[in-house]
Structure formats: C-alpha cells, structure tokens
C-alpha cells in the first residue's frame, strides 16, 4: 500500500523547503521524497494550498485530565494539585477512555502524530486504566508512548498527594513490568512504546525512583518524570532531601540520554550544562507553565548548551487545550520575553522543537523529519484560509499565527484527518461523551 502526499510547500524538517514537494510512503515508511512531477501511488492526497511538515510531537501530557478541565483556574501548582487529587481519586477506566479519546482527537486534529502520555493516577481496585489509554490510541490511529506513572509518597509520609491516591511500591513495579511486557514495541516504526515514569519528587520515594530506573534499563525503555517545575518543588527538595531537584536526579541515577524531564524550569547555569552533557531531554510546556505561573523555562540556554528540547501540551487541567502549534507559538514568544530579544528563538526553531525536538526526547530517530527511511507521519496546514492568507513567510506564519486545526494528518502512512475532520472516530460523539464524563466526575 503506497500513499503520496503532495503540498504547496513541503518542509522536510532537515532544512529543505520544497515548492510542490511530495512524500511517497509504503507500509508506513517514507520511500521517496522530492518536488515537481510525483510518482504514482495507490492513494494520493494533494494539498496545493497547504504547507506539509513532519507531524508534531507531544512530549508531555496527562490525557485523563481532559475530564477535569477548568478546575482552580487561578491557583499555583500545589494549590491546583491539592484541589484535584480528590477528584482524580475517583477516575476509572471509563473516565480515562473518554478523556483520552478527547485528548487524542484534539491532538490529531491539530497535526500531532506522536504523543507521550504520563499517567500516574491508579486508584485502588480500578483495573484497565493503562489498557484504556493504549486502546484509545489504537482506535484513533495515534503513534503513542504511554508512560506508566506512579505516586507512592502520601501525605502521611510527608508527600503532597493524599494517601487515597498513592499505590504500594511493589505493586507499581510489578504492574509497570507487566505493561512493558504487553505493550512495548522496540522495533523501528513502532506504534506503541512504554515508558517508566514516577510522578515527581514530592509524590514518590527515592527508593521507587531508583528501582524504576533499574527496571527501565533492564528492559531498555525510557524514563520520564516532572522536574524543576516550581520554586515550591525546589523548596520541598531542599527541605526534605537537602538537594536541589536536579541534584536529586543525579543521586538517584535519573540522568542520561534515556531520560527526559517535563518542564525543567528552575535549573541554574551549572544544571543547564549538566542536563545537556548528560544528553537528557526537556519537555517544555509553555501554556501550562504560564497558566500555573510556574516560571519560564530557559529554552534558549538549554539549546545553546546542546540539550534536547521538545514541547508538551501538558495535562488539559492546566492547559485547557492540546495544540502543539500553539505551544510552538507560546515557546517562541516566551523565549523572547525571557531574553527581551526577538533573536532568542526564531520561528523555524520553534517548529523544530515541536517536531524533531520532541522526537529526540522520546528517543525516536525514525520520527520528526520527512526523509527516506523515516515514519510517514505528516501534518498539512492550510495557508489560504483567513488566518494565514497572504502571510509573507508561510513557515514562520505557522509559528506566529498557530493554526488551530490541520487540514490533513497522516500517521504511519494512514490518513487519519482529512479536510480538517477526524476519520477514525466521530468528533461530536467524543465531545458529548467527554461532557457527560466530566459532569459525572464533578459529582
Ligand atoms: Zn505534567
């Protein structure tokens, strides 16, 4: 089965921008790319009014949070978490399925083709939550890296979450290993890879962090956690462990090219260099960071130091949308505000964070660019609509005026969005189910 995608302008993600460029894929992988006369194919998608680019990559998310959007609209991270933990304690597989379908539909419709998800709430007695995430991705056609998250440090032991939402550590490790065995696919072009992801320094023990790292490395899977998101977290780590958050990661074996962190905001100069030297990744989540007033990630400094930097929408409870193009836009503006200089991050670099940068964080050298031998994951954005018509630099325009919807999206050589509509599920039905689920959870 071959698919040809042709566009007004093809951005390969390797520095080439080709007028009337095209990409030919066979069985999900790109076999030829070029411009001008195109080869024949079983299926042809021609979008002369679009810019086609590598599918966007979401490096940090909590999809279940689509069922709890709009809570604590003006709180800090810790205030927001304390209010939401008791609501999250009531989630089950049905809630997670409805929320994940909404999250994934929105991501696909905005041009995202590869997404991580960090799921760390497993209320006792509720089976099938992780499975619901994996099944939703299969149904909707999203390339997916579900992270088996965890919380084990409850309030009674000095942690932030109430005891009702934490799990036993042996059970966490056993279930994580079981999920790797069932769903992890290490082969090139994989549609599902499992990640090991204890939640944060204030919700898990040091023992669980160490053992999780050992488990992940035994199975050759990646590690992910929240790091240096707020100054409250920094104070917590200094008081409880006598360590800054990144120092704690170094103590626990949580550094290296198989680790990526969400946020990485409050890093000092030496830590920025150490993150880069370790080849660890940072998932920058500008909308969430601004919504929670968490701080401003040092994206330009991290890039200069050589760190891997991707973008994440974060959970929808702290960013009521999931649009990677909007995150590229926010990242561009925020980097310039931080530096008081427009040269801090240019538009193409911002889009690179949303594509190749995220793929680097997720350890996907087969995603994030449109080249022969890579996955056929492609997003096409209209540039003749009211929002973009006449913009001089079409590529910069996608970062300066982020599209809310893609015209065509291809994942693994399969068209999943066409004419701005999801082909794999009914968008209105997903929205109705999400509204009912959110209302039920609110009680
Ligand atoms: Zn997060």
């Amino acid at each position: 089965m071959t698919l040809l995608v042709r566009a007004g302008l093809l951005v390969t993600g390797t520095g080439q921008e080709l007028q009337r460029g095209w990409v030919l894929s066979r069985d999900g992988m790109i076999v030829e790319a070029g411009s001008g006369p195109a080869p024949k194919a079983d299926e042809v998608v021609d979008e002369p009014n679009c810019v086609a680019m590598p599918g966007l990559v979401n490096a940090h998310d909590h999809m279940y949070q689509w069922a709890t959007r709009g809570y604590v609209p003006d709180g800090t991270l810790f205030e927001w978490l304390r209010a939401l933990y008791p609501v999250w304690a009531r989630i089950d597989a049905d809630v997670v399925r409805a929320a994940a379908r909404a999250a994934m539909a929105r991501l696909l419709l905005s041009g995202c083709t590869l997404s991580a998800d960090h799921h760390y709430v497993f209320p006792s007695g509720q089976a099938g939550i992780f499975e619901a995430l994996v099944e939703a991705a299969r149904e909707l056609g999203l390339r997916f890296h579900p992270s088996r998250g965890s919380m084990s440090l409850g309030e009674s032991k000095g942690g932030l979450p109430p005891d009702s939402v934490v799990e036993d550590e042996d059970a966490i490790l056993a279930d994580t290993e079981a999920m790797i065995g069932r769903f992890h696919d290490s082969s090139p072009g994989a549609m599902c890879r499992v990640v090991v992801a204890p939640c944060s320094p204030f919700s898990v023990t040091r023992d669980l962090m160490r053992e999780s790292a050992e488990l992940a490395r035994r199975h050759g899977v990646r590690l992910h956690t929240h790091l240096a998101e707020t100054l409250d977290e920094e104070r917590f780590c200094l008081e409880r462990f006598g360590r800054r958050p990144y120092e704690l990661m170094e103590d626990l074996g949580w550094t290296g090219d198989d680790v990526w962190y969400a946020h990485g905001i409050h890093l000092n100069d030496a830590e920025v260099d150490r993150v880069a030297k370790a080849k660890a990744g940072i998932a920058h989540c500008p909308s969430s960071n601004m919504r929670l007033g968490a701080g401003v990630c040092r994206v330009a400094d991290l890039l200069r130091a050589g760190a891997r930097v991707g973008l994440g929408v974060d959970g929808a409870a702290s960013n009521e949308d999931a649009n990677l193009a909007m995150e590229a836009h926010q990242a561009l503006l925020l980097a310039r505000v931080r530096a008081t200089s427009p040269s801090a991050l240019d538009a193409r670099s911002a889009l690179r964070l949303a594509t190749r940068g995220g793929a680097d964080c997720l350890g996907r050298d087969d995603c994030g660019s449109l080249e022969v031998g890579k996955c056929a994951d492609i997003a096409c954005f209209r540039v003749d609509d009211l929002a973009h018509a006449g913009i001089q630099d079409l590529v910069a325009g996608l970062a300066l005026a982020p599209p809310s919807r893609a015209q065509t999206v291809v994942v693994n050589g399969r068209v999943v969005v066409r004419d701005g509509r999801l082909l794999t599920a009914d968008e209105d039905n997903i929205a109705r189910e999400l509204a009912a689920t959110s209302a039920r959870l609110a009680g």
Side-chain angles (χ1 to χ4, degrees):
M1 172 70 194
T2 53
L3 170 72
L4 181 83
V5 177
R6 195 175 191 201
L9 184 71
L10 177 78
V11 177
T12 62
T14 58
Q16 283 188 300
E17 294 175 5
L18 305 172
Q19 299 288 338
R20 291 302 276 147
W22 49 263
V23 170
L24 180 72
S25 64
R26 178 177 295 117
D27 301 329
M29 305 302 277
I30 297 173
V31 291
E32 221 183 316
S35 58
K40 288 194 165 32
D42 299 323
E43 187 180 359
V44 175
V45 174
D46 192 0
E47 299 284 13
N49 299 318
C50 283
V51 170
M53 58 185 286
L56 307 181
V57 179
N58 181 22
H60 185 64
D61 204 339
H62 313 286
M63 293 182 177
Y64 76 95
Q65 291 183 7
W66 270 75
T68 57
R69 289 192 294 165
Y71 287 66
V72 199
D74 309 308
T76 66
L77 175 70
F78 280 16
E79 289 164 353
W80 172 90
L81 280 171
R82 283 197 183 97
L84 277 159
Y85 283 137
V87 185
W88 294 341
R90 299 197 298 271
I91 65 168
D92 57 22
D94 290 338
V95 169
V96 171
R97 180 175 293 105
R101 290 178 86 231
M104 292 173 187
R106 182 70 189 105
L107 283 168
L108 287 167
L109 283 165
S110 70
C112 174
T113 54
L114 165 62
S115 181
D117 186 53
H118 186 184
H119 191 92
Y120 54 86
V121 184
F122 293 87
S124 119
Q126 296 297 343
I129 286 179
F130 198 86
E131 292 87 334
L133 291 162
V134 174
E135 283 159 15
R138 279 185 190 152
E139 180 203 353
L140 271 69
L142 178 69
R143 197 180 300 278
F144 192 40
H145 286 211
S147 310
R148 207 308 183 175
S150 51
M151 296 194 289
S152 67
L153 188 68
E155 247 170 348
S156 65
K157 292 181 183 154
L160 191 74
D163 290 4
S164 59
V165 291
V166 305
E167 294 176 273
D168 170 74
E169 299 196 344
D170 288 338
I172 290 168
L173 292 164
D175 190 54
T176 304
E177 192 154 35
M179 293 305 116
I180 294 169
R182 277 180 68 184
F183 300 120
H184 184 70
D185 177 359
S186 59
S187 63
M191 286 296 285
C192 186
R193 285 197 186 154
V194 176
V195 177
V196 178
C199 188
S200 61
F202 49 84
S203 60
V204 296
T205 68
R206 282 172 291 183
D207 280 348
L208 184 64
M209 290 294 286
R210 276 195 204 94
E211 287 175 41
S212 295
E214 280 168 22
L215 173 72
R217 285 170 181 145
R218 209 158 56 236
H219 290 278
V221 306
R222 294 180 85 73
L223 288 159
H224 181 51
T225 193
H226 290 99
L227 186 78
E229 181 175 2
T230 63
L231 290 172
D232 284 340
E233 175 197 328
E234 185 175 299
R235 274 189 289 275
F236 180 95
C237 289
L238 286 169
E239 277 165 28
R240 186 177 171 96
F241 310 116
R243 288 281 190 276
R244 294 172 49 75
Y246 187 67
E247 291 174 328
L248 186 65
M249 294 299 118
E250 292 177 318
D251 287 356
L252 298 171
W254 266 77
T255 59
D257 64 359
D258 57 351
V259 183
W260 90 100
Y261 312 105
H263 308 302
I265 295 169
H266 301 283
L267 300 171
N268 62 31
D269 290 346
E271 289 163 349
V272 165
D273 285 339
R274 269 148 49 211
V275 166
K277 208 165 162 218
K279 297 198 162 30
I282 301 282
H284 174 37
C285 307
S287 293
S288 169
N289 296 161
M290 287 192 273
R291 196 235 201 231
L292 293 168
V296 183
C297 180
R298 302 175 60 176
V299 171
D301 295 338
L302 285 159
L303 291 173
R304 213 167 14 245
R308 304 173 181 200
V309 182
L311 297 180
V313 299
D314 206 352
S318 64
N319 169 12
E320 275 65 13
D321 199 358
N323 177 358
L324 262 301
M326 176 59 81
E327 298 308 315
H329 175 72
Q330 305 281 40
L332 178 151
L333 298 183
L334 198 51
R336 294 178 181 194
V337 167
R338 188 175 202 286
T340 57
S341 165
S343 64
L345 190 67
D346 66 81
R348 284 169 175 76
S349 298
L351 292 171
R352 189 181 187 283
L353 297 181
T355 51
R356 186 67 245 161
D360 284 344
C361 286
L362 271 55
R364 295 300 300 243
D365 56 12
D366 55 350
C367 297
S369 60
L370 301 179
E371 299 170 80
V372 171
K374 307 273 176 172
C375 296
D377 292 358
I378 305 161
C380 301
F381 297 101
R382 275 182 66 177
V383 286
D384 65 332
D385 60 349
L386 181 58
H388 299 91
I391 290 186
Q392 286 302 300
D393 181 332
L394 293 177
V395 180
L398 293 178
L400 296 169
S404 67
R405 212 170 253 259
Q407 172 77 352
T408 292
V409 179
V410 173
V411 184
N412 206 38
R414 174 188 183 201
V415 181
V416 291
V417 172
R418 192 80 203 260
D419 297 330
R421 304 293 302 175
L422 192 62
L423 300 183
T424 48
D426 183 87
E427 184 181 339
D428 294 334
N429 174 41
I430 290 173
R432 271 193 302 276
E433 271 184 28
L434 178 69
T437 302
S438 303
R440 183 160 62 82
L441 201 57

